[in-house]
Amino acid sequence: MSESTRMLLGLAIGIILMIILVMKTKIHTFIALLLAAVVTGLIGGMSPADVTLADGTTQVGLLTAIEDGFGNTLKSTGIIIGLGVMMGGILEKSGAAEKLAYSFIRAVGKKKEEWALAITGWFISIPVFADSAIVIFAPLCKAISKVTGKSVIGLALALACGLQLTHCMVPPTPGPLTAAGMLSVDVGQMIIAGAVLSIPMLCVVVFYDKWIGKQIYQIPLSDGTFERKPYKKEYIKSMEELERLMGEKKLPPLWASMAPIVVPLIMILLKTVADFVGMEDGIIYTLISLFGEPVIALGIGTVLAIYGLVKKEENKTVIGMMDGAIKDTGIIMLITGAGGSLGNVIKVSGIGDVLGEAVINWPIPAILIPFIIAALMRIALGSATVAITTAASLTAPLMAAIGVSPILLAQSCCIGAISFSYFNDSGFWVFNGMFGLTELKDQVRCKTAVSMIMAGVGIVELMIAQFIL
C-alpha cells in the first residue's frame, strides 16, 4: 500500500469511527473527536511524540498536533464565545433581545424573518468574521423564535447561510482576498463576482432553511434550554398577537437594546475598512486596530449591555445573569477545540496535501479542478479560509494550461470551500452548541446540508458562467 493511500485510508477510518461512536455508543462527541484524531494520525504515519530529524528540525508528533489544534482553535473562538453568551444572557434577561425581535419583525414584515436574517448575515459577514457574527446575533435569533413561534433552527440557519456565503466569496475576508492575489484577479472584480454569484445560492438555500425549521421544530426557553416538539401551524403567532404582546410588556428602549450589538459591529467594520485601504500608521489606526479586534469589541458590547440595560439591578443579579448564560458553554468550547484537533492532525500529517495533489490529474472539466481541491481541503481541514488558500496555490501554476478566466477559477476555489461543513469545522460546533442541536443526524441536516446545497448551486453557476465567458 502506498503512503498516500494509507493516509487517505486513515482519514476515512477516523471519520467512520467517530460517526459510529457518536451514533451507536455512549461515548461523548468530545471524546469521539479526539479518538478520531488519534486514529487518523497513527494510520496516517504520525509518530506519537515529536521527533528530531537528522538535519536538526523537529517533526511534529500526534499529541503535539492534537494539543496545538485544540489551543489554536479556542484561541480564536473561546473568548469570543464566552463574551458573546454573557452579553446574550443580559440581552435576554433584560428584555432587550425581545425588544429587538419585535422591532425587527415590524420592520421586515411577518413571515419574512428567514429572508431578513439571511440578508443580514450576507451583509454582516463581509466585514465581520462569521463565527463572531453568529455569536453576536444568537440572542436576536432566539428572541425572534420565542416571539413568533418559529423554530430557532430555521431562523439561525438562514443567518448562518448568509454569513458563510460572503465570508467565503467576497473580499476583504481573508480567503477570497488571498485567492484573488494568488490568481492575479482584481479585488474589485472579485467583490462583484462573489456578490453576484452568491445571491442565487442564498435564494435557493433559504427555502431549505424554512423547510428544515418545520422538520426540526425547536424553541428556546427562558432557562437557556430548548423545547423540541412536532411542528404545528397554530404555534406561529400572528402580527396582531405580536402587537398585543408588545403593548403588554415593559421593555428597554430600542437604542439601549441595539447598542451592545451595533457598536461592536461598527468597531469591527472600521478595522476591516482601515486594513483594506492600507492604513498602517498613526494613533488613529492604532486605536481602530485595538478596538476593532472581535475580543475587545465584544468586551465593550458586554459592558454596554451591563450599564445600558441592567445598571439598576443588584450586582449579584447581573453576575447571575452572566453566570447562567455561560454555564453551558464549556462543552461547546471542548467540542469546538476537539474539532480543531482533528483538522490540525490532518494538516500536519500531510493528508490534505495528498488530497489536493490527487485531484489535479483527474479527468474533469477545468473549472471544477479548484472547486474539488477546495472541497476536499474543507473536508480534510475544516477551515474554509485554508481550503481556499490551498486550492488557489495549487491552481495558480495550472492557469495557463487550464485556459479558464482567472476570476472564475478564483470563485471556484471559494465555492468549493463552502461545500462541506462538518465535524472538524469550528463553525459547525459553534452553531450546534448555540442553538441546541445535539443529535448527529440533525447536525448533518442543518450545517452540512446547507453547505452542500449552496455549493451545488454554485457549481451550476460556474458552468453557466464559463460557457458565457
Side-chain angles (χ1 to χ4, degrees), residues 106-421:
R106 181 179 283 173
V108 303
K110 194 75 179 68
K111 300 182 180 179
K112 299 175 184 174
E113 295 88 354
E114 290 91 350
W115 288 102
L117 284 168
I119 294 169
T120 299
W122 189 92
F123 278 107
I124 290 298
S125 195
I126 295 174
V128 180
F129 184 61
D131 286 359
S132 302
I134 201 73
V135 173
I136 292 171
F137 280 95
L140 177 62
C141 292
K142 293 177 183 178
I144 292 175
S145 177
K146 287 182 187 177
V147 167
T148 63
K150 285 190 171 184
S151 172
V152 71
I153 300 303
L155 295 167
L157 199 57
L159 173 71
C161 289
L163 292 169
Q164 187 68 24
L165 281 171
T166 47
H167 175 74
C168 289
M169 296 178 67
V170 181
T173 51
L177 195 61
T178 301
M182 287 185 170
L183 299 175
S184 302
V185 176
D186 177 76
V187 173
Q189 292 181 2
M190 190 71 173
I191 291 172
I192 294 170
V196 170
L197 290 172
S198 65
I199 291 172
M201 298 162 70
L202 186 64
C203 291
V204 171
V205 81
V206 169
F207 289 105
Y208 179 84
D209 298 333
K210 293 166 75 76
W211 176 82
I212 199 67
K214 296 177 181 178
Q215 308 307 308
I216 308 175
Y217 185 77
Q218 195 157 285
I219 301 294
L221 302 176
S222 56
D223 62 358
T225 60
F226 296 85
E227 181 184 12
R228 174 87 173 262
K229 54 187 177 181
Y231 169 80
K232 292 182 181 179
K233 192 173 182 180
E234 53 263 35
Y235 293 153
I236 309 302
K237 298 182 180 70
S238 67
M239 197 67 198
E240 290 74 20
E241 287 180 275
L242 296 180
E243 293 289 355
R244 179 178 56 79
L245 288 170
M246 187 172 181
E248 293 174 355
K249 295 185 177 183
K250 187 178 180 181
L251 299 174
L254 182 59
W255 67 267
S257 302
M258 290 178 62
I261 292 177
V262 173
V263 170
L265 289 175
I266 292 173
M267 294 165 71
I268 295 170
L269 171 61
L270 287 174
K271 180 180 184 300
T272 302
V273 172
D275 291 337
F276 188 61
V277 300
M279 186 185 293
E280 294 179 354
D281 301 314
I283 187 65
I284 294 177
Y285 175 73
T286 301
L287 292 173
I288 291 174
S289 182
L290 172 65
F291 291 110
E293 283 294 328
V295 170
I296 303 297
L298 273 170
I300 292 172
T302 305
V303 172
L304 288 173
I306 294 170
Y307 289 100
L309 296 169
V310 290
K311 62 182 177 182
K312 295 182 180 179
E313 300 285 346
E314 293 184 0
N315 290 356
K316 280 187 177 180
T317 304
V318 176
I319 292 172
M321 291 179 185
M322 291 185 282
D323 285 347
I326 205 169
K327 67 180 180 180
D328 295 324
T329 60
I331 193 60
I332 299 175
M333 293 187 189
L334 284 175
I335 294 174
T336 301
S341 295
L342 175 58
N344 195 49
V345 165
I346 296 168
K347 179 181 178 180
V348 172
S349 66
I351 294 173
D353 294 334
V354 170
L355 282 171
E357 291 169 2
V359 175
I360 295 174
N361 297 319
W362 289 1
I364 55 177
I367 189 64
L368 296 184
I369 290 176
F371 175 94
I372 294 177
I373 294 173
L376 290 174
M377 292 303 104
R378 181 68 188 271
I379 292 171
L381 306 176
S383 167
T385 300
V386 174
I388 294 169
T389 303
T390 305
S393 64
L394 290 173
T395 303
L398 306 175
M399 284 177 62
I402 288 177
V404 176
S405 167
I407 186 69
L408 293 183
L409 291 176
Q411 283 299 324
S412 182
C413 296
C414 298
I415 294 170
I418 293 171
S419 63
F420 210 86
S421 173

